[in-house]
Amino acid sequence: MSEKSGLILELKTLQKKAESELKGIQDAVSLQSWRAAYLSRSSDIMAFFKRLSEAPKKERPMIGQFANQVKAALETQFEKKENIIKQVGLEMNLRNKRLDVTLPGRAPAHGRLHIQTLVLRQIYRIFAEMGFQVYRSPEVETDENNFELLNIPAHHPARDLWDTFYTTKPGVIMRTHTSPGQVRAMREFAPEPIRVALPGMCYRYEQIDASHEIQFNQVELLAVGKNITFGDLKGTLEEFAKRMYGEGVRTRMRPSYFPFVEPGAEMDVECFVCGGKGCSVCGEKGWLEILGCGMVHPVVLRNGGYDPEIYSGFAAGLGPERISMLRYHIDDIRNFWGNDVRFLEQF
Ligand code: PHE
């Protein structure tokens, strides 16, 4: 018997053995050992490739080819068997582990609205009852809208109060307050009368502490029309405080300065912690500031397209985080955007 037929015979015998063993296999574990025995690197089939040198040079290609065919045939049969075993396993599973549709389901974890979403909605509702519509304007603003058109030119010292984050595009910044929305609303509606509430995130370059954050909400109020007075402003804001905190709330207005109003004021609510006596939360003042406000400056009215000889208006910028702190007795503003679920799930 030549070496050629010797090797080929051996291969054929091996193939038969492998095939008959494969037929008997019913489970995935035995299938894997079968694979290790016949198709792995250390299997007998692979050994044939090393033994090719035993055959005469002329016959080696033919024997090599044959060994390859055997290997390919066994691989195909292996895959077929593997599929069958998987399929059978799946069917068994379906048959044996029937789904009991009468079992009670698992309750999905409920999310909730963020406290500031709730408070903002409460603020919109109160002002909506007084005729203010929500008006949205962008958080990324031009320096022109955020400052220039609000009567704060580049050299103005008031810019120090509103240092912010800058984009890489010159003249484009993160808005420091919602007041630029005043100009946007006026330019859209002039010369019609306006009553809008302008909510949203504002950004400032601040030293973060219990009452200062680098991002926070504001709600801007703007009313423009004929014969609007400071009395309208005061009445609107006091009514707001009553609806937010209850009839008994104590508020006060103090004169203040903002370049885009004249006259300007700030409104305080009695400190919830000390009841007005003075403590660390209110900085011993007994009062907490919740908003800035005033009569829209003639320059701003003109920038918005209204003749200040004919029209007047009032504006206010409320701090909803401060408003929540007072309402829910939260003593650290960092809670709002710190994303600690233990805080958030209380509301
Ligand atoms: N924009 C001012 C601030 O962020 C608040 C303000 C708004 C004051 C409207 C007056 C009128 O501090």
Side-chain angles (χ1 to χ4, degrees):
M1 202 187 278
S2 78
E3 270 307 324
K4 168 188 132 189
S5 45
L7 280 177
I8 287 190
L9 266 182
E10 259 187 73
L11 267 168
K12 281 187 172 159
T13 319
L14 194 60
Q15 182 177 11
K16 277 218 183 83
K17 188 170 164 245
E19 285 172 352
S20 80
E21 275 179 31
L22 188 61
K23 270 206 193 98
I25 287 176
Q26 305 284 357
D27 65 288
V29 178
S30 324
L31 184 65
Q32 285 313 322
S33 3
W34 181 89
R35 181 191 217 173
Y38 293 103
L39 289 172
S40 73
R41 260 169 206 278
S42 55
S43 63
D44 292 345
I45 304 256
M46 294 311 276
F48 271 94
F49 290 97
K50 285 182 206 129
R51 286 174 54 199
L52 278 181
S53 56
E54 291 170 20
K57 231 182 185 147
K58 270 202 321 225
E59 296 172 1
R60 285 179 200 165
M62 208 263 276
I63 300 173
Q65 217 177 2
F66 185 68
N68 268 328
Q69 281 167 10
V70 171
K71 186 169 163 260
L74 290 180
E75 272 165 0
T76 318
Q77 291 174 49
F78 168 81
E79 275 163 30
K80 267 194 203 144
K81 189 74 178 197
E82 192 179 37
N83 280 336
I84 292 171
I85 289 181
K86 267 193 199 149
Q87 195 57 36
V88 170
L90 193 66
E91 277 165 22
M92 291 248 291
N93 247 339
L94 285 176
R95 209 171 312 125
N96 299 339
K97 303 187 184 154
R98 286 244 312 271
L99 184 65
D100 184 352
V101 290
T102 63
L103 282 175
R106 286 192 202 98
H110 276 288
R112 65 185 66 228
L113 293 175
H114 190 278
I115 171 177
Q116 284 314 88
T117 305
L118 298 171
V119 168
L120 281 169
R121 288 185 181 178
Q122 215 169 334
I123 295 173
Y124 306 154
R125 197 157 50 233
I126 294 172
F127 285 121
E129 284 166 3
M130 301 188 223
F132 289 85
Q133 274 180 304
V134 172
Y135 183 90
R136 304 233 172 227
S137 80
E139 290 175 28
V140 181
E141 260 296 6
T142 58
D143 182 278
E144 188 183 22
N145 282 338
N146 196 82
F147 294 119
E148 298 279 336
L149 296 172
L150 292 173
N151 204 23
I152 318 173
H155 63 265
H156 200 288
R159 283 212 177 196
D160 282 355
L161 297 174
W162 288 289
D163 197 6
T164 186
F165 298 100
Y166 298 84
T167 68
T168 46
K169 206 168 169 184
V172 178
I173 61 170
M174 303 306 288
R175 68 175 173 192
T176 60
H177 48 182
T178 42
S179 301
Q182 287 188 30
V183 179
R184 288 179 178 269
M186 283 193 260
R187 290 191 166 175
E188 182 172 338
F189 297 122
E192 298 300 321
I194 298 181
R195 238 186 267 181
V196 288
L198 264 142
M201 268 296 168
C202 304
Y203 303 85
R204 280 187 208 174
Y205 180 67
E206 288 270 9
Q207 192 75 39
I208 297 176
D209 63 26
S211 51
H212 295 89
E213 256 286 16
I214 57 169
Q215 71 168 84
F216 50 88
N217 280 292
Q218 282 196 342
V219 177
E220 191 90 2
L221 275 195
L222 175 69
V224 180
K226 293 178 181 162
N227 307 316
I228 291 186
T229 69
F230 197 91
D232 297 321
L233 170 63
K234 193 158 185 265
T236 304
L237 294 177
E238 280 177 357
E239 185 59 26
F240 166 76
K242 280 189 189 147
R243 294 192 192 187
M244 192 74 196
Y245 298 111
E247 281 293 326
V249 67
R250 299 214 318 145
T251 57
R252 71 171 187 188
M253 271 182 138
R254 292 175 283 111
S256 183
Y257 174 71
F258 301 94
F260 35 91
V261 289
E262 180 58 38
E266 281 172 335
M267 192 164 108
D268 300 336
V269 174
E270 196 172 68
C271 176
F272 64 85
V273 177
C274 58
K277 285 193 207 71
C279 68
S280 63
V281 172
C282 58
E284 306 303 329
K285 292 196 223 54
W287 298 91
L288 286 163
E289 180 205 329
I290 59 160
L291 60 87
C293 62
M295 300 305 288
V296 182
H297 197 287
V299 167
V300 179
L301 279 174
R302 206 173 293 119
N303 288 340
Y306 291 84
D307 180 351
E309 298 294 331
I310 305 171
Y311 296 94
S312 58
F314 70 70
L318 290 75
E321 279 82 354
R322 293 277 181 87
I323 290 169
S324 299
M325 289 169 85
L326 277 162
R327 165 113 199 210
Y328 297 106
H329 297 195
I330 297 161
D331 59 9
D332 196 322
I333 198 166
R334 287 169 289 198
N335 283 320
F336 290 105
W337 311 112
N339 263 347
D340 186 335
V341 182
R342 289 169 301 177
F343 168 76
L344 296 173
E345 68 187 4
Q346 295 175 57
F347 303 96

